[in-house]
Amino acid sequence: MEDNSSVREILAKLVSFPTVSRDTNLPLVEWVEAYLSQHGIRSERIMSPCGTKAHLYAQTGPEIDGGVILSGHTDVVPVDGQAWTTDPWTLTERDGKLYGRGSCDMKGFDALALMAMVRAAKLPLKRPLQLALSFDEEVGCVAVVDLVETMLGALPRAREVIVGEPTMMRVVTGHKGGLAYKVHVRGFEVHSSLLPYGVSAIMQAAKLIDWANQRNAENAARQPSELAAPFDPPFTTLHVGTIEGGTAHNITAKDCRFFIEFRFVPGESPQDWANAFEAKAAELTTEMQKIHPDSGIDLERGFALPALTPETDGPAETLARRLTGDNGRHVVSYGTEGSQFQVRGYSTVICGPGDIAQAHQPDEFLSLEQLAAGEAFIDRLLDALCA
């Protein structure tokens, strides 16, 4: 790609890589490495345990603490079963919008971050600019921990982190955390006419799901805390999205499986929620095993994402507000990698081009207007780093 490549050309290249979370992102990473190297910027990989994916990080500017990290993820969600009217892997302009999978979430920001690195390499920066590109954000924001901790040891410590999830260039200072479990309820089969002598995995699963319903009702009825009040909804939610089990209508179910997630507000402990859920599962297991010792409930912990908590006089918020002119109070109920930076001591905000309503949709798009707003943001950021 030419030295004077536009952010749109970079975005088109990034979209052309089908980096669905279940697949490799290495072709994209290899291209980014080569592109940065072409401009004299050395980057480093962190390989996944399976060897099919990689994080990438880089720095330009002076080797001192106090820089800025631009953080984005490289993975996208699938397009399977979606009714696209354009090729999802070809950036297509129509009516002032750029269509393509990941154009909004969040390769638009990734393109801006790469453009920023290249422009920064030619400027007399007073503070460094760092790049963090991760994998598997769409499946739990857990893999990024290796990236954050590696950067802490390998690079001068940055002062601000800007995670470019789509916020319409508004400054988002908080988001909910997440916790998930795969649940396997093991029953004991008997004919349904002998129900008291069997253990129905489905009916026991229903008790655990009803426990979640009760917690939702209690949370909704409680006065929101100061940290929770800005959220919609302003409380922690528990949700079961999939369930399967049973053999026939007249047999107590031997197995039932479901997936439960917690979206908890800042100020609440994910470990407290984990302890409460695991205690309820253990209580039900004890009851089940009084009927048959082979029954019970197995829990497999899924993703665990901290909440992003609004900071008091946080340098990232101060910087982002100065660059955008946005002084509103914004929080979101979805999770991001930002909290993984924050819990490791980085001041962090979420701010990027595009509307989150476009994320994961067929015909996902990023408007040209939002891309231009992102480019103006980057220009002001580079000026700030040179000041």
Side-chain angles (χ1 to χ4, degrees), residues 270-308:
Q271 191 57 52
D272 286 348
W273 280 109
N275 291 344
F277 183 65
E278 291 173 12
K280 184 61 180 180
E283 175 190 320
L284 292 174
T285 292
T286 298
E287 295 177 5
M288 295 162 66
Q289 290 181 346
K290 290 177 181 178
I291 300 172
H292 198 279
D294 292 337
S295 60
I297 300 175
D298 301 324
L299 303 178
E300 179 184 342
R301 180 78 71 90
F303 66 83
L305 178 68
L308 180 71

Side-chain angles (χ1 to χ4, degrees), residues 363-385:
D363 285 350
E364 175 184 349
F365 69 81
L366 176 66
S367 72
L368 291 172
E369 181 181 21
Q370 277 292 296
L371 188 61
E375 191 163 0
F377 175 88
I378 292 298
D379 289 341
R380 290 190 289 270
L381 171 63
L382 296 179
D383 287 344
L385 291 176

Side-chain angles (χ1 to χ4, degrees), residues 54 107 143 145 183 213 279 335 363:
K107 290 180 177 179
V145 170
V183 183
N213 287 330
D363 285 350

Side-chain angles (χ1 to χ4, degrees), residues 221-355:
R222 188 179 299 122
Q223 180 70 27
S225 68
E226 183 177 351
L227 285 174
F231 287 88
D232 183 17
F235 51 85
T236 295
T237 57
L238 289 67
H239 174 250
V240 175
T242 60
I243 187 168
E244 60 179 11
T247 303
H249 74 278
N250 59 353
I251 303 174
T252 55
K254 182 179 180 180
D255 295 287
C256 183
R257 292 177 170 85
F258 65 90
F259 187 89
I260 186 170
E261 68 172 22
F262 299 70
R263 299 285 180 173
F264 57 89
V265 294
E268 293 188 6
S269 165
Q271 191 57 52
D272 286 348
W273 280 109
N275 291 344
F277 183 65
E278 291 173 12
K280 184 61 180 180
E283 175 190 320
L284 292 174
T285 292
T286 298
E287 295 177 5
M288 295 162 66
Q289 290 181 346
K290 290 177 181 178
I291 300 172
H292 198 279
D294 292 337
S295 60
I297 300 175
D298 301 324
L299 303 178
E300 179 184 342
R301 180 78 71 90
F303 66 83
L305 178 68
L308 180 71
T309 302
E311 302 168 10
T312 301
D313 299 323
E317 179 181 349
T318 300
L319 173 65
R321 292 197 186 284
R322 179 155 55 92
L323 298 179
T324 62
D326 174 29
N327 291 313
R329 187 181 186 190
H330 309 294
V331 297
V332 292
S333 291
Y334 58 82
T336 78
E337 296 178 345
S339 59
Q340 299 287 21
F341 283 94
Q342 188 184 61
V343 298
R344 288 163 179 82
Y346 288 106
S347 177
T348 306
V349 294
I350 316 301
C351 184
D355 188 342

Side-chain angles (χ1 to χ4, degrees), residues 154-177:
L155 298 178
R157 186 178 186 110
R159 188 171 68 184
E160 300 102 348
V161 177
I162 299 171
V163 179
E165 290 283 356
T167 69
M168 298 294 287
M169 298 308 301
R170 291 190 290 264
V171 181
V172 169
T173 59
H175 66 63
K176 290 187 178 183

Side-chain angles (χ1 to χ4, degrees), residues 168-233:
M168 298 294 287
M169 298 308 301
R170 291 190 290 264
V171 181
V172 169
T173 59
H175 66 63
K176 290 187 178 183
L179 178 68
Y181 286 91
K182 292 180 180 178
V183 183
H184 178 200
V185 184
R186 295 175 286 104
F188 177 65
E189 291 179 309
V190 298
H191 192 278
S192 59
S193 64
L194 300 174
L195 178 64
Y197 308 107
V199 179
S200 169
I202 290 176
M203 296 179 76
Q204 294 298 325
K207 294 180 181 180
L208 199 49
I209 293 170
D210 188 54
W211 177 88
N213 287 330
Q214 293 173 30
R215 302 292 81 72
N216 281 331
E218 291 171 359
N219 292 345
R222 188 179 299 122
Q223 180 70 27
S225 68
E226 183 177 351
L227 285 174
F231 287 88
D232 183 17

